[in-house]
Amino acid sequence: MGKEQTVKKEQKMSDKTPIPYLGTPQATTAVLEKYHFVFQKKFGQNFLIDPRVLEKIIAAAEITKDDFVLEIGPGIGTMTQYLCASAREVAAVEIDKALIPILEDTLKEYDNVQIINEDILKVDIGKLAREKNQGRPIKVVANLPYYITTPIIMGLLENHVPFETITIMVQKEVADRMKTGPGSKDYGALSLAVQYYVKPEIVANVPPNCFMPRPNVGSAVIRLTRHREPALDVRDEKLMFRLIRASFNQRRKTLVNGLKNSPDLNFSREEIEAAVTAIGKPLTIRGETLTLEEFAALANVFSGKKE
Ligand code: SAM
């Protein structure tokens, strides 16, 4: 995993699992002051300071002592303490190296955690799941850094990371985007990817005063549960998502023009017009009005042809 730095715990867990103590404004402030920690805006650092929210996240993720949990962005280890207390094993991936000595301190009571100093977008999560959980589905839990929410979620979904559930704190507007359908300005590639792979459920709405520092936006905890069976019969999933991206990259254009102009697709105008007609749509339609089922039907028409 490249420049990954793994920090092994030396101290063994005692017979009794330690009780998580971070998660209040006082405990968080004490840790930040002890280490003279300076918040990095560029890393989207907003730490949770409300134990009720932390308990809700852990309950929604339904973590048991059988579970291997990946936490993205542990910060000072607030939620990590709760995860270590409930799970069999936790891997916590944190980009900010200034947080590593803090995590070593706040997690020293736990011997079931591995801290990985890396950018989550560079981690081979499939490999981690194979090594740590014999390839069985893992659980992902995170209070996500908001500046890269979409690439993280799309990466987990489209790279076929073996997961059972993903329970994440996101910007309220992003949670809404995941659940919405055609007709909303929030409808887009994220909505379609989420609805294709998982069932999204909003577990809690979380106001800015539950974080330090306070974000400018409202947040929500959303749980994504993988469909047991694929939601739809799509012959070429990758093609379907190329069609979806091409349609939403040029939202204001007709579906036909959006697909014709896309550098990722190589169909002739005639082929595109025939496919749109084959799914029963007029040639003037915009891509943003298509449902997931209609994108799947369109992909199936195309995948019967040569690109
Ligand atoms: N989990 C902590 C909590 O709830 O208090 C911190 C959450 S904070 C919203 C996001 C965390 O993700 C920060 O610790 C930040 O440094 C980390 N982070 C940001 N970008 C990251 C990346 N690309 N890979 C891994 N961690 C990242």
Side-chain angles (χ1 to χ4, degrees):
M1 248 177 254
K3 66 180 171 60
E4 161 196 322
Q5 174 188 335
T6 301
V7 182
K8 290 220 169 69
K9 298 268 102 38
E10 279 165 12
Q11 196 161 333
K12 286 282 161 231
M13 217 162 46
S14 62
D15 289 348
K16 276 182 139 187
T17 307
I19 297 166
Y21 63 86
L22 287 170
T24 61
Q26 297 78 5
T28 301
T29 306
V31 170
L32 298 178
E33 281 177 359
K34 178 174 170 190
Y35 286 91
H36 308 287
F37 180 75
V38 180
F39 284 101
Q40 298 277 344
K41 225 176 171 178
K42 67 173 180 194
F43 290 144
Q45 293 175 338
N46 301 96
F47 298 161
L48 266 168
I49 50 165
D50 187 329
R52 285 165 307 176
V53 175
L54 288 152
E55 279 156 20
K56 256 191 204 164
I57 296 172
I58 300 297
E62 294 175 349
I63 292 159
T64 72
K65 278 287 167 196
D66 282 338
D67 289 325
F68 173 79
V69 178
L70 166 68
E71 185 188 10
I72 300 165
I76 60 167
T78 307
M79 193 151 67
T80 328
Q81 290 190 340
Y82 285 80
L83 294 171
C84 290
S86 332
R88 186 191 82 235
E89 210 179 333
V90 178
V93 178
E94 174 54 62
I95 196 168
D96 186 354
K97 65 176 186 314
L99 286 166
I100 303 305
I102 303 183
L103 287 163
E104 284 181 63
D105 183 6
T106 59
L107 300 173
K108 64 176 182 279
E109 305 290 334
Y110 299 93
D111 70 353
N112 58 343
V113 60
Q114 181 188 13
I115 302 159
I116 301 169
N117 184 203
E118 183 58 280
D119 176 348
I120 189 64
L121 297 178
K122 294 189 185 147
V123 175
D124 183 342
I125 303 171
K127 185 167 164 233
L128 195 66
R130 283 194 296 282
E131 286 172 2
K132 297 284 178 179
N133 210 33
Q134 292 77 48
R136 284 179 288 128
I138 64 169
K139 287 185 175 162
V140 179
V141 181
N143 171 15
L144 285 181
Y146 293 169
Y147 75 105
I148 44 164
T149 304
T150 302
I152 291 176
I153 298 171
M154 293 297 259
L156 291 167
L157 298 177
E158 290 195 286
N159 297 332
H160 292 272
V161 169
F163 68 82
E164 201 177 321
T165 55
I166 301 175
T167 308
I168 41 177
M169 177 86 71
V170 295
Q171 217 172 305
K172 175 80 176 70
E173 178 236 307
V174 176
D176 292 339
R177 238 197 285 160
M178 289 191 222
K179 291 187 62 117
T180 198
S184 156
K185 68 167 177 32
D186 293 334
Y187 184 53
L190 180 68
S191 329
L192 286 155
V194 162
Q195 291 159 31
Y196 177 68
Y197 290 109
V198 295
K199 178 166 79 126
E201 294 162 285
I202 293 185
V203 172
N205 286 309
V206 184
N209 62 3
C210 296
F211 301 87
M212 186 186 290
R214 292 181 185 198
N216 296 326
V217 290
S219 303
V221 178
I222 191 158
R223 180 178 54 205
L224 310 176
T225 308
R226 189 185 277 291
H227 294 307
R228 276 174 200 268
E229 298 293 328
L232 293 165
D233 179 20
V234 185
R235 239 169 283 147
D236 187 342
E237 226 174 80
K238 284 202 160 59
L239 171 62
M240 179 175 75
F241 282 105
R242 273 188 285 149
L243 296 172
I244 289 172
R245 281 210 181 82
S247 305
F248 286 97
N249 279 347
Q250 302 206 316
R251 291 182 84 108
R252 308 218 147 263
K253 296 244 155 63
T254 62
L255 174 61
V256 172
N257 284 339
L259 301 187
K260 184 69 198 84
N261 295 343
S262 167
D264 291 335
L265 295 166
N266 200 17
F267 297 115
S268 69
R269 180 168 292 278
E270 292 68 34
E271 283 175 315
I272 295 169
E273 290 184 351
V276 173
T277 306
I279 64 159
K281 294 289 173 189
L283 298 180
T284 50
I285 198 156
R286 282 187 185 176
E288 64 180 1
T289 66
L290 261 56
T291 62
L292 178 58
E293 288 73 15
E294 289 166 341
F295 274 114
L298 191 65
N300 283 343
V301 173
F302 278 122
S303 60
K305 297 169 187 269
K306 284 238 172 308
E307 248 193 87

